[in-house]
Amino acid sequence: MKILVRSPNWVGDSVLITPALAGLREHYPNAHISAMVTPWVKPLLAQNPDIDELIVYDPKGKHNSWKARLAFAKELRQIGFDMAILFPNSFHAALITYLARIPERIGYAADGRGFLLTKPIPVNKTTKHMLEYYLDILRYMGIAVQPQRLSLVLSPADEDFAKQLLASSEIDGFRPLIAMHPGAVKPEKRWAAERFAETAKLLTTKHKAAIILLGGPDEQELRQQIRQLAGVSQVIIPEA
């Protein structure tokens, strides 16, 4: 059996599907499970033991045209998937699997896409944690799953990078060690830089902690701003 899992587009949401991936693997131990991921999510799930294969879909680059997307759907069709499980709610996510002619397509009937799914799940409008929201897809499929711990598996190269960072910086020996990720794709979702700086300063002075500011290349200026505002040496920006 071949299963295609459509991962959410963003890193945080993709972490929250890891319990659902574990439940899916447990229910289908012999299935070949492929995850369709964006380039920026790929490193996050590359070491996940519940996934056999990553298929990169780049809506902002290589697949940023309908011609390219139709060609991509054709490639999926040629693989011969039996089932697609859609974690994101977008119309576009359902359309790709529909064009790929995957026989069973499961996801929430959101964004007007219910007619593209073979098993549209009614959207539960009650407030619940996104982890449960994703697990409910499996429950609708008849898979009994319970909330599990989130999973983030590192490669040996990732572990070596972390060890080298700690060994080569002035934070070595400080405890506790706290990581902050101040960035967000949408600026309106970001906590103010001044608030991050205030929190970092409090943690370093009151609790003798060291702070690592995480982020991508586009967030370098933001991290520098926070470090400058905090004004303490224990706030570190790791080099890529």
Side-chain angles (χ1 to χ4, degrees):
M1 184 176 191
K2 294 182 180 180
I3 301 174
L4 178 66
V5 172
R6 176 64 162 91
S7 170
N9 287 338
W10 308 113
V11 170
D13 290 339
S14 296
V15 173
L16 293 176
I17 71 168
T18 55
L21 292 174
L24 188 66
R25 171 57 71 196
E26 184 176 354
H27 190 76
Y28 295 105
N30 299 318
H32 185 89
I33 300 177
S34 302
M36 179 177 163
V37 298
T38 56
W40 47 94
V41 168
K42 179 183 177 181
L44 179 78
L45 297 179
Q47 304 298 320
N48 190 292
D50 301 312
I51 298 173
D52 296 301
E53 177 188 21
L54 295 177
I55 299 175
V56 178
Y57 177 69
D58 188 1
K60 295 184 178 181
K62 180 180 178 180
H63 303 112
N64 189 22
S65 71
W66 275 111
K67 182 179 179 180
R69 291 169 186 175
L70 288 171
F72 180 81
K74 183 178 180 180
E75 291 173 8
L76 294 180
R77 183 164 68 247
Q78 291 172 342
I79 294 173
F81 287 106
D82 302 291
M83 177 192 300
I85 300 172
L86 310 178
F87 287 110
N89 286 337
S90 69
F91 182 92
H92 178 260
L95 181 60
I96 290 291
T97 55
Y98 173 83
L99 293 173
R101 299 178 188 173
I102 299 175
E104 196 169 1
R105 303 178 299 277
I106 305 163
Y108 284 107
D111 202 24
R113 67 181 191 169
F115 72 99
L116 296 172
L117 304 172
T118 58
K119 289 187 179 179
I121 304 172
V123 178
N124 187 344
K125 296 186 180 298
T126 60
T127 301
K128 62 170 56 183
H129 195 282
M130 285 301 295
L131 185 150
E132 288 288 343
Y133 187 76
Y134 293 138
L135 286 175
D136 279 350
I137 296 178
L138 271 64
R139 293 174 181 136
Y140 183 84
M141 297 167 59
I143 301 175
V145 289
Q146 298 297 325
Q148 304 176 45
R149 295 184 64 180
L150 303 176
S151 174
L152 184 58
V153 183
L154 301 179
S155 69
D158 292 330
E159 294 182 356
D160 288 343
F161 172 80
K163 291 175 183 177
Q164 292 172 12
L165 170 68
L166 295 177
S168 63
S169 70
E170 57 264 45
I171 61 175
D172 191 27
F174 278 93
R175 291 295 183 272
L177 183 61
I178 300 172
M180 290 185 179
H181 193 301
V185 174
K186 297 182 179 180
E188 62 269 23
K189 289 187 175 182
R190 293 179 182 173
W191 204 31
E194 292 79 7
R195 296 289 181 262
F196 275 108
E198 184 179 348
T199 302
K201 186 174 183 178
L202 176 65
L203 290 170
T204 57
T205 55
K206 186 175 181 179
H207 299 285
K208 307 303 180 185
I211 309 296
I212 299 179
L213 293 179
L214 304 177
D218 294 341
E219 295 154 347
Q220 181 70 2
E221 183 177 344
L222 173 64
R223 291 187 290 165
Q224 293 286 4
Q225 181 186 10
I226 292 170
R227 182 179 186 181
Q228 183 177 2
L229 288 170
V232 289
S233 61
Q234 299 99 304
V235 177
I236 306 300
I237 299 174
E239 295 182 3

